[in-house]
């Protein structure tokens, strides 16, 4: 089933007059869901997100107590939002029949800065939010607002192996496209991804910038991989809790809270909830579009041997010497 989302297609119409000169002078390529992607500060963005990024850069006032979840698109953002929301708010919202995750999609509980808060030239008033505030974004490190860089921020960064990231993104783009527009071919989308032309791409530059920052400032950036989280969720959840300054107490450990949070936020549980099977985000997307398979290795069912070789080669070349393996 595909959803008709006019605002994704005709994004140029939402650009505010004061942004037009800047945005429309940028390098442009055809997009997958949005009609075009624009290259800003080294990364490609749909125009609506880009306008949000620039507004956010100009107006977002970070607090030292903020927690920001940063991800490359399709690397498990929905899962990370669910986990960190549940973890941070476990006193306010103990796991029960009334837990917010049972009636809301994680994207409606932890909002993206650039396309849910600073959207369509809006400047939201975030000053009344209680600390610690929790936000999410796909903004590359070079473009995060200065006030964030200057503060004692804590960023949790999540990425995923590029082959599964690409396949997930290709499937997602085709799902969001109007049926009458047809689907994008795997080959064409793959070539663009390899050239770095994808939402918040080049994928490798996005990952590397945060990887370097996590090495230089490990108390500020926690660097996670979806693949590791799938393999060892309990270790990763404890690690997130420590990093955010809300570790599990002995009592919580003994009561099985770690496992309870993971169960609540698991793909099997979230994807089967009525809200995620038939509901929509307040921004219009079908919730079910964010739950496809939730597995590691689906790329084997889609990519040719040549594609795998090419992607592996680019990844090896780009990450060489960084100490990062994806
Ligand atoms: P976004 O960047 O648009 O927010 P994001 O949540 O990062 O999307 O990526 C969606 C992927 O996470 C999907 O992967 P797939 O296409 O390979 O299946 C989706 O299935 C997966 N996902 C969503 N929720 C969970 C979860 N609770 N546990 C594990 N994977 C999940």
């Amino acid at each position: 089933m595909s959803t008709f989302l006019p605002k994704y297609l005709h994004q140029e119409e939402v650009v505010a007059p004061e942004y037009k000169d800047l945005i429309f002078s940028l390098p442009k390529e055809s997009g997958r869901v949005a009609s075009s992607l624009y290259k800003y500060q080294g990364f490609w963005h749909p125009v609506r997100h880009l306008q949000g990024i620039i507004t956010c850069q100009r107006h977002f006032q970070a607090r030292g107590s903020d927690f920001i979840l940063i991800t490359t698109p399709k690397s498990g953002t929905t899962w990370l939002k669910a986990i960190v929301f549940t973890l941070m708010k476990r006193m306010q919202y103990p796991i029960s029949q009334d837990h917010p995750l049972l009636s809301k999609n994680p994207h409606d509980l932890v909002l993206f800065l650039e396309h849910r808060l600073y959207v369509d030239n809006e400047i939201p008033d975030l000053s009344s939010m209680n600390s610690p505030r929790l936000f999410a974004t796909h903004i590359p490190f070079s473009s995060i607002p200065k006030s964030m860089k200057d503060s004692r921020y804590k960023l949790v960064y999540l990425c995923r192996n590029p082959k599964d990231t690409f396949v997930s993104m290709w499937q997602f783009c085709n799902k969001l496209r109007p049926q009458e527009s047809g689907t994008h071919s795997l080959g064409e989308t793959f070539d663009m991804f390899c050239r770095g032309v994808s939402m918040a791409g080049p994928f490798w530059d996005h990952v590397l910038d945060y990887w370097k920052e996590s090495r230089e400032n490990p108390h500020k950036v926690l660097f996670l991989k979806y693949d590791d989280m799938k393999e060892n969720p309990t270790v990763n959840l404890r690690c997130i809790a420590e990093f955010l300054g809300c570790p599990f107490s002995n009592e919580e450990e003994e009561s099985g809270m770690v496992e309870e949070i993971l169960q609540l936020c698991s793909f099997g549980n979230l994807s089967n909830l009525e809200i995620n099977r038939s509901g929509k985000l307040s921004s219009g997307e079908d919730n079910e579009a964010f739950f496809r398979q939730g597995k590691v290795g689906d790329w084997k069912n889609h990519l040719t041997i040549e594609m795998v070789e090419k992607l592996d080669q680019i990844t090896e070349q780009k990450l060489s010497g960084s100490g990062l393996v994806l």
Side-chain angles (χ1 to χ4, degrees):
M1 187 180 69
S2 93
T3 319
F4 186 58
L5 285 171
K7 66 187 174 198
Y8 271 91
L9 276 181
H10 308 295
Q11 297 193 325
E12 276 69 6
E13 289 166 15
V14 304
V15 176
E18 66 264 38
Y19 291 105
K20 283 191 170 156
D21 283 351
L22 168 61
I23 291 181
F24 295 143
S25 66
L26 295 170
K28 180 177 165 186
E29 288 256 5
S30 78
R32 303 286 84 183
V33 180
S35 51
S36 309
L37 294 173
Y38 293 83
K39 194 176 194 183
Y40 177 68
Q41 298 179 336
F43 290 85
W44 295 95
H45 306 283
V47 79
R48 207 154 174 261
H49 295 186
L50 176 52
Q51 181 167 248
I53 291 172
I54 301 170
T55 315
C56 186
Q57 286 179 326
R58 293 181 183 171
H59 299 283
F60 180 67
Q61 287 305 318
R63 283 185 202 156
S65 54
D66 287 341
F67 296 144
I68 322 274
L69 309 181
I70 308 197
T71 55
T72 42
K74 312 325 290 178
S75 61
T77 323
T78 314
W79 189 21
L80 185 67
K81 284 182 175 186
I83 285 180
V84 176
F85 177 88
T86 309
L87 174 72
M88 268 181 63
K89 300 196 186 275
R90 62 192 193 265
M91 297 298 175
Q92 189 181 349
Y93 302 119
I95 297 179
S96 71
Q97 296 302 321
D98 301 326
H99 195 277
L101 268 179
L102 301 179
S103 54
K104 283 192 170 178
N105 179 280
H107 290 289
D108 276 336
L109 293 172
V110 183
L111 301 183
F112 278 114
L113 286 170
E114 71 276 28
H115 50 101
R116 288 298 291 282
L117 288 165
Y118 290 87
V119 69
D120 296 343
N121 208 19
E122 292 275 324
I123 302 167
D125 178 12
L126 307 176
S127 61
S128 57
M129 284 176 76
N130 291 334
S131 293
R133 301 181 303 181
L134 177 61
F135 302 110
T137 183
H138 292 316
I139 302 179
F141 186 69
S142 54
S143 296
I144 62 171
K146 188 171 176 307
S147 76
M148 220 194 265
K149 283 193 178 152
D150 292 345
S151 76
R152 286 179 296 112
Y153 61 83
K154 277 201 185 271
L155 307 182
V156 179
Y157 184 77
L158 179 67
C159 64
R160 186 181 191 183
N161 78 74
K163 293 184 285 238
D164 280 332
T165 303
F166 165 72
V167 168
S168 182
M169 194 180 287
W170 172 66
Q171 300 268 7
F172 183 75
C173 290
N174 280 333
K175 193 152 200 150
L176 285 197
R177 272 176 74 79
Q179 249 151 20
E180 56 273 30
S181 305
T183 53
H184 284 296
S185 80
L186 179 71
E188 193 195 343
T189 313
F190 180 80
D191 289 341
M192 289 177 70
F193 186 80
C194 290
R195 286 194 294 117
V197 186
S198 62
M199 195 173 119
F203 166 85
W204 300 270
D205 299 13
H206 198 290
V207 175
L208 272 175
D209 285 354
Y210 282 103
W211 170 248
K212 284 181 197 144
E213 186 61 15
S214 75
R215 303 300 294 264
E216 282 163 27
N217 289 302
H219 55 289
K220 282 181 158 187
V221 182
L222 176 67
F223 190 97
L224 301 171
K225 299 182 208 168
Y226 178 91
D227 314 64
D228 291 348
M229 283 190 36
K230 286 295 280 189
E231 198 176 319
N232 213 334
T234 48
V235 169
N236 279 279
L237 176 53
R238 288 194 186 100
C239 182
I240 297 171
E242 291 276 347
F243 176 76
L244 294 180
C246 52
F248 293 102
S249 65
N250 288 341
E251 295 76 45
E252 287 177 324
E253 285 281 358
E254 279 159 21
S255 73
M257 185 173 280
V258 176
E259 292 73 19
E260 256 187 288
I261 293 179
L262 290 171
Q263 164 56 23
L264 174 67
C265 302
S266 67
F267 181 87
N269 187 51
L270 292 184
S271 63
N272 278 310
L273 295 172
E274 194 52 37
I275 179 68
N276 293 323
R277 284 156 65 108
S278 56
K280 279 182 188 294
L281 291 186
S282 40
S283 50
E285 300 92 330
D286 288 332
N287 287 341
E288 55 117 26
F290 296 92
F291 302 94
R292 194 179 61 91
Q293 292 203 339
K295 290 186 183 149
V296 174
D298 182 44
W299 57 266
K300 295 188 187 105
N301 301 315
H302 300 278
L303 304 184
T304 63
I305 293 170
E306 292 75 29
M307 285 171 165
V308 172
E309 278 173 6
K310 184 166 178 186
L311 217 41
D312 283 347
Q313 196 186 14
I314 297 173
T315 304
E316 206 181 305
Q317 199 181 355
K318 289 266 196 180
L319 303 190
S320 139
S322 68
L324 175 64
V325 180
L326 284 179

